[in-house]
Amino acid sequence: QFPHIQRVPPLLNFSSMSSQYQGKAIMSIFCLAASAVLMVVWHLPLLFAAATFHEDLHLIQHASFTVTGSLALIAVRMMPTTFVILSLVLMNATMGLFGAFLLVSSHEIFIPYSLESHIEAGNVMIALSLVMAVIVFPAYIISRSLRYELKNQQNIHASE
């Protein structure tokens, strides 16, 4: 019915993928997993506190955040749009939930910071989640859709 739309194989059905696509799928999964592990490890309350109090560890923490962002970007560049959107939705939901947790918690989770700082961080995380959901996601989906449609139109005209 739509000859110009290519079928994208499922991410985990490796037998139906070309070896090049398999390699991209495996690398994107690895990059996302490594990025998530780095982010989680540095946000464990005791390690986070240690990094706050020790300058060298703090520098290592921020360097690894740069690596985390780079790994996530590599993964996003290799994944199909559907999985990019799913990943962004999951990360956004996680940030919103943890922001709400910081907002309503009556205990200090991150020792170096006061309860007021936790509430402020929770508010910022929830606000960023809302901005992502209302502005960033629609803009990303529209730009990808327009780019994909332009590419399809060029392919159609080239084949005529």
Side-chain angles (χ1 to χ4, degrees):
Q1 189 175 6
F2 300 100
H4 61 279
I5 297 178
Q6 298 175 1
R7 183 181 177 279
V8 177
L11 183 64
L12 299 177
N13 187 2
F14 289 113
S15 62
S16 68
M17 294 182 197
S18 68
S19 60
Q20 180 183 10
Y21 194 80
Q22 284 178 356
K24 283 185 174 184
I26 291 169
M27 182 59 77
S28 64
I29 290 168
F30 170 78
C31 288
L32 274 182
S35 176
V37 166
L38 278 172
M39 189 62 75
V40 167
V41 164
W42 282 113
H43 283 86
L44 294 173
L46 290 176
L47 191 55
F48 189 88
T52 303
F53 292 125
H54 301 286
E55 187 176 340
D56 291 340
L57 193 57
H58 193 79
L59 292 173
I60 292 170
Q61 178 189 41
H62 280 275
S64 72
F65 286 155
T66 303
V67 171
T68 298
S70 300
L71 288 171
L73 179 63
I74 290 168
V76 164
R77 295 287 180 136
M78 288 191 284
M79 290 190 312
T81 303
T82 306
F83 297 112
V84 172
I85 293 169
L86 177 63
S87 299
L88 290 174
V89 166
L90 290 174
M91 287 186 286
N92 193 46
T94 302
M95 182 170 64
L97 287 173
F98 280 111
F101 177 69
L102 286 174
L103 191 61
V104 300
S105 178
S106 59
H107 302 288
E108 290 181 1
I109 298 161
F110 296 104
I111 299 163
Y113 298 105
S114 67
L115 200 54
E116 291 79 21
S117 294
H118 283 71
I119 292 169
E120 183 179 342
N123 281 325
V124 168
M125 291 170 76
I126 291 171
L128 286 174
S129 291
L130 291 173
V131 166
M132 296 242 334
V134 172
I135 298 170
V136 175
F137 289 157
Y140 176 77
I141 292 168
I142 290 167
S143 72
R144 286 295 283 243
S145 298
L146 291 174
R147 192 174 333 138
Y148 185 74
E149 186 58 33
L150 179 63
K151 183 178 176 183
N152 285 334
Q153 291 298 325
Q154 290 172 344
N155 289 340
I156 291 170
H157 292 302
S159 66
E160 291 177 349

